[in-house]
Amino acid sequence: MAEEKPKVNNEIPEGTGQFDNRFVLWRTFCAEAGIPIETLPSDLTGDAREKWEKLKDERLHKPAEQS
C-alpha cells in the first residue's frame, strides 16, 4: 500500500504575497518545463525533480554575502 502524503498548505502568505521568491521561482520553473502550475514540487519525479532541486538550491538557498 502506498504511503499517503501529508496535506500541504499551498496558500500564499499574507505577509509576502504572490511575489514571494518561492512562488515566482516555481511559476517560472513550471512555465519553462511545461508543468501545470497546480503541481506540487513533491509531485515531481525524475529529471524534473532534479532540475527543480538544483534551481531551488541555486536561487533560494544562497548564503548571505559577507561585506
Side-chain angles (χ1 to χ4, degrees):
M1 187 180 238
E3 292 182 34
E4 284 190 36
K5 293 181 184 178
K7 287 270 186 189
V8 176
N9 183 355
N10 198 20
E11 294 177 9
I12 299 171
E14 273 186 45
T16 57
Q18 66 180 346
F19 298 110
D20 179 289
N21 287 338
R22 295 169 295 156
F23 292 104
V24 173
L25 186 62
W26 178 247
R27 288 183 183 113
T28 302
F29 173 78
C30 288
E32 291 175 358
I35 295 171
I37 196 76
E38 298 82 19
T39 305
L40 294 175
S42 61
D43 292 337
L44 297 175
T45 59
D47 192 41
R49 179 174 219 133
E50 289 177 27
K51 287 179 181 179
W52 168 245
E53 291 298 328
K54 182 179 178 185
L55 183 64
K56 185 174 65 171
D57 287 343
E58 289 173 354
R59 303 270 179 94
L60 296 180
H61 300 296
K62 285 184 178 179
E65 292 184 28
Q66 295 178 356
S67 346

